[in-house]
Amino acid sequence: MSSQDRSSAKSPQRKPSVVAAPDLTSEEDAAVLAKLGYKQELRRNFSMIEVFGIAFSIMGLLPSIASTLSYSIPAGPVGLVWGWFLASGLIFVVGLAMADLGSAMPTSGGLYWWTHFFASPATRNPLSFLVGYSNTLGLVGGLCSIDYGFSLMFLSVIVVARDGNWTPSNGTIYGVFLACVLCHGILASTLSRIMGRLQTVFVILNFVLIAATIIALPIGKAKSRNNGSYIFTHTENLTTWPTGWAFMLSWLSPIWTIGGFDSCVHMSEEAANATKAVPYGILMSIGSCWLFGFILVIVIAACMSTDLSHILSSPFGQPMAQIYYDAIGKHGTLGLMSLLMIVQFLMGLSILVASSRQSWAFSRDGALPFSRFFRPISQRFGYIPLRAIWGCVLLAAVLGLLSLIAPAAAQALFSLAVAGNNLAWGIPIFARVYWGQKKFNPGPFYTGDRFSVPIAWTAIAFLVFGIFLSMFPVGGPNPTPESMNYTVVINCAVWFGALAYYFIDARKWFTGPKMTIDTDDLTERQAQALRDEGLDEGVGVQKGLEGRDTEVLG
């Protein structure tokens, strides 16, 4: 009997929902996820706007620009303004390439799932393993860098209030960082039922801060604003690199800032109508940051002091605090820095949610250490990966110990997010166009047969460049131990460690993403979706992932 005959015979006994209870998802979204081999376990309570919101909240436009001014200001206004515009445009190209994939195959573990699907048989397992680890640690590195930035902003408010007569120690910085990470863990665990709606609030707060800055700085500097020639054509070089390379290093500010768009992919299994919500969330978040970020850096360049060295060496510990102080005085600075700090805090909460979903997805496929422990979903807390959330919190707390060593070591947390995520974004795009283009079946969003492949290759080239860029010492060649960029050490340890782990041990048991659906319970529509993918629903399905697919916390 053919597989089709067998499925027809089974269909009368099929349950009305497979893969998920009706309160978790729609039949359409469950069918899409069933095509990828997974049953629905998370509640889909994020709309398209809320998916955009979590990415935009993670990017936290103005706080991120403020945290990375030390990369852009050394190249002068040209680096600040045009570096932002050019790099953001190329990041949008990366977003287009990822949107093609996210619309076609929306799953929380999308990056490593896509890699495994498109790569050659000889490379799919190690590359998928590498991408999963690089993306997981890159996201946790992003959490660390955001919360470290929050601790600096929080303490800078105290320094401003004390008129610069206090300097926090590394231990104090870490203490604030740790408290912030723990607060995020508590909030991510207890606010799951309203987390989607909260993203809209976070977006509004971001725009309130942007509007306040765009209005306040020009008013405060009404009599001494810089002219258009200074803003758009003036170049400086406060590094010992050649001027052209100092300009390229200014790209690290937008590269780090607009680095949360893959969170849309990780929220795929909690997004309604994911085949559209994911790609449009990616492009809307990047496009918004490109536009409003360009406006912001123009305003900052118009209103900042022309003594750039003074801004970078501010006694307040934050260049943005000095820019505010010079324009609107102590009390205005305290107000806007406080709002900046709050938005930065919300960024950390959003990226913890996204990183926990990637970690959970990777555990679902058995790839992380202690996967059986991190795999369960908590029903009591609203169908969320509670243990994965706290696993990310613990890892962030450990990585944050770098801040106790030296500021240079702490800065590596910024670049860990850049290099780790760039690798994780680039490999699945490369795998698709190099090995798997014939297997690619577009979703509702598609850049078209004519443009999709050139867009993908452009994205790959930019991501490779971004990895190398993130590893250069910012100040110049011949760095001291205090000014060294330790990204190359940290990321190579992550990448080579992951590959060593795979070839020494994981190759014996890691075979890529595993099906978690029970095909006996498929609806006819979902069974047809599997047959359309060339999967016989009666064979080759790893039911239960050793029982872990039905494991939930009460």
Side-chain angles (χ1 to χ4, degrees):
M1 182 183 291
S2 69
S3 61
Q4 187 168 356
D5 292 336
R6 289 197 303 268
S7 65
S8 298
K10 289 181 181 179
S11 58
Q13 286 77 39
R14 293 190 189 279
K15 299 178 181 179
S17 176
V18 159
V19 182
D23 62 331
L24 293 184
T25 184
S26 68
E27 173 69 14
E28 291 76 13
D29 281 321
V32 170
L33 193 58
K35 280 179 65 175
L36 306 180
Y38 295 128
K39 73 174 185 177
Q40 186 72 41
E41 299 179 72
L42 305 175
R43 179 176 283 121
R44 292 187 184 267
N45 52 8
F46 280 73
S47 66
M48 182 187 296
I49 295 299
E50 291 162 349
V51 170
F52 152 75
I54 196 166
F56 190 75
S57 298
I58 290 172
M59 293 171 186
L61 185 56
L62 184 51
S64 295
I65 291 174
S67 296
T68 55
L69 285 174
S70 59
Y71 294 119
S72 52
I73 284 182
V78 163
L80 180 63
V81 173
W82 294 116
W84 180 274
F85 184 82
L86 294 174
S88 299
L90 289 167
I91 294 167
F92 191 82
V93 173
V94 176
L96 287 170
M98 190 177 291
D100 277 346
L101 291 169
S103 180
M105 295 168 284
T107 175
S108 293
L111 300 176
Y112 72 85
W113 197 101
W114 302 334
T115 300
H116 193 271
F117 181 78
F118 289 117
S120 67
T123 61
R124 60 167 57 111
N125 286 345
L127 286 182
S128 177
F129 199 76
L130 172 63
V131 166
Y133 270 92
S134 187
N135 190 216
T136 300
L137 290 172
L139 285 167
V140 176
L143 170 63
C144 289
S145 59
I146 287 171
D147 285 1
Y148 181 76
F150 167 82
S151 66
L152 295 180
M153 289 181 185
F154 178 84
L155 293 169
S156 74
V157 171
I158 298 176
V159 175
V160 171
R162 296 186 178 184
D163 297 314
N165 296 318
W166 177 69
T167 302
S169 66
N170 287 341
T172 302
I173 294 171
Y174 179 74
V176 175
F177 166 86
L178 183 60
C180 179
V181 172
L182 292 175
C183 285
H184 285 149
I186 294 170
L187 294 175
S189 302
T190 56
L191 298 179
S192 63
R193 290 176 175 84
I194 60 171
M195 189 60 69
R197 293 190 292 276
L198 282 177
Q199 300 310 312
T200 302
V201 177
F202 296 172
V203 170
I204 292 171
L205 286 175
N206 268 278
F207 280 112
V208 168
L209 177 59
I210 291 169
T213 299
I214 290 173
I215 294 170
L217 284 182
I219 291 176
K221 297 282 285 187
K223 297 180 180 179
S224 57
R225 287 196 294 265
N226 301 317
N227 59 33
S229 176
Y230 180 83
I231 296 168
F232 295 107
T233 65
H234 184 74
T235 299
E236 291 201 28
N237 185 1
L238 302 183
T239 75
T240 55
W241 292 110
T243 300
W245 191 246
F247 173 76
M248 300 310 301
L249 287 170
S250 72
W251 289 25
L252 286 172
S253 176
I255 287 173
W256 186 81
T257 298
I258 313 178
F261 56 86
D262 65 316
S263 59
C264 299
V265 176
H266 304 310
M267 301 308 295
S268 293
E269 294 177 38
E270 293 172 79
N273 196 12
T275 56
K276 293 183 179 178
V278 171
Y280 287 112
I282 291 171
L283 298 179
M284 288 163 60
S285 59
I286 298 174
S288 297
C289 283
W290 185 5
L291 172 61
F292 291 104
F294 189 55
I295 295 171
L296 274 171
V297 294
I298 290 173
V299 171
I300 291 171
C303 300
M304 67 184 181
S305 167
T306 56
D307 185 355
L308 302 184
S309 297
H310 174 65
I311 295 174
L312 292 174
S313 60
S314 169
F316 304 139
Q318 281 280 294
M320 196 68 206
Q322 188 65 54
I323 292 170
Y324 280 143
Y325 192 88
D326 292 340
I328 55 179
K330 177 179 177 178
H331 296 295
T333 300
L334 288 173
L336 284 179
M337 284 300 295
S338 296
L339 183 55
L340 196 71
M341 176 184 70
I342 292 169
V343 174
Q344 181 94 358
F345 180 85
L346 300 177
M347 290 168 58
L349 176 58
S350 294
I351 198 171
L352 175 58
V353 171
S355 61
S356 67
R357 272 49 173 185
Q358 158 61 21
S359 302
W360 169 77
F362 212 32
S363 295
R364 175 175 60 184
D365 292 319
L368 287 180
F370 311 109
S371 286
R372 182 181 290 274
F373 175 80
F374 290 116
R375 171 69 181 83
I377 294 296
S378 172
Q379 291 182 342
R380 181 181 303 167
F381 285 85
Y383 290 93
I384 60 170
L386 184 69
R387 293 179 179 178
I389 289 172
W390 285 97
C392 291
V393 167
L394 177 61
L395 182 57
V398 172
L399 288 175
L401 291 170
L402 285 171
S403 65
L404 294 174
I405 301 173
Q411 289 298 317
L413 295 173
F414 284 78
S415 298
L416 171 64
V418 171
N421 284 326
N422 274 23
L423 184 83
W425 301 339
I427 289 179
I429 297 171
F430 174 81
R432 175 208 147 186
V433 294
Y434 188 74
W435 287 301
Q437 183 59 28
K438 292 182 179 178
K439 296 170 64 177
F440 178 65
N441 185 24
F445 175 90
Y446 182 44
T447 52
D449 293 337
R450 182 176 181 182
F451 297 108
S452 182
V453 172
I455 285 172
W457 282 114
T458 303
I460 292 164
F462 175 70
L463 291 171
V464 171
F465 174 74
I467 291 173
F468 284 106
L469 189 67
S470 70
M471 295 183 177
F472 275 80
V474 176
N478 304 314
T480 64
E482 290 75 24
S483 62
M484 174 63 182
N485 185 343
Y486 291 95
T487 303
V488 64
V489 177
I490 294 175
N491 279 92
C492 286
V494 170
W495 297 333
F496 288 112
L499 289 174
Y501 179 31
Y502 174 80
F503 285 108
I504 292 172
D505 181 57
R507 64 182 176 83
K508 302 172 185 176
W509 46 264
F510 180 75
T511 57
K514 302 183 185 333
M515 285 187 174
T516 61
I517 54 175
D518 185 342
T519 53
D520 288 338
D521 291 336
L522 289 172
T523 64
E524 181 57 36
R525 177 173 182 170
Q526 292 155 345
Q528 185 61 48
L530 284 180
R531 290 194 294 273
D532 291 343
E533 290 295 302
L535 298 172
D536 185 336
E537 56 175 311
V539 298
V541 179
Q542 302 181 40
K543 294 184 182 179
L545 192 54
E546 299 180 358
R548 282 174 282 181
D549 65 318
T550 57
E551 191 174 358
V552 290
L553 297 176

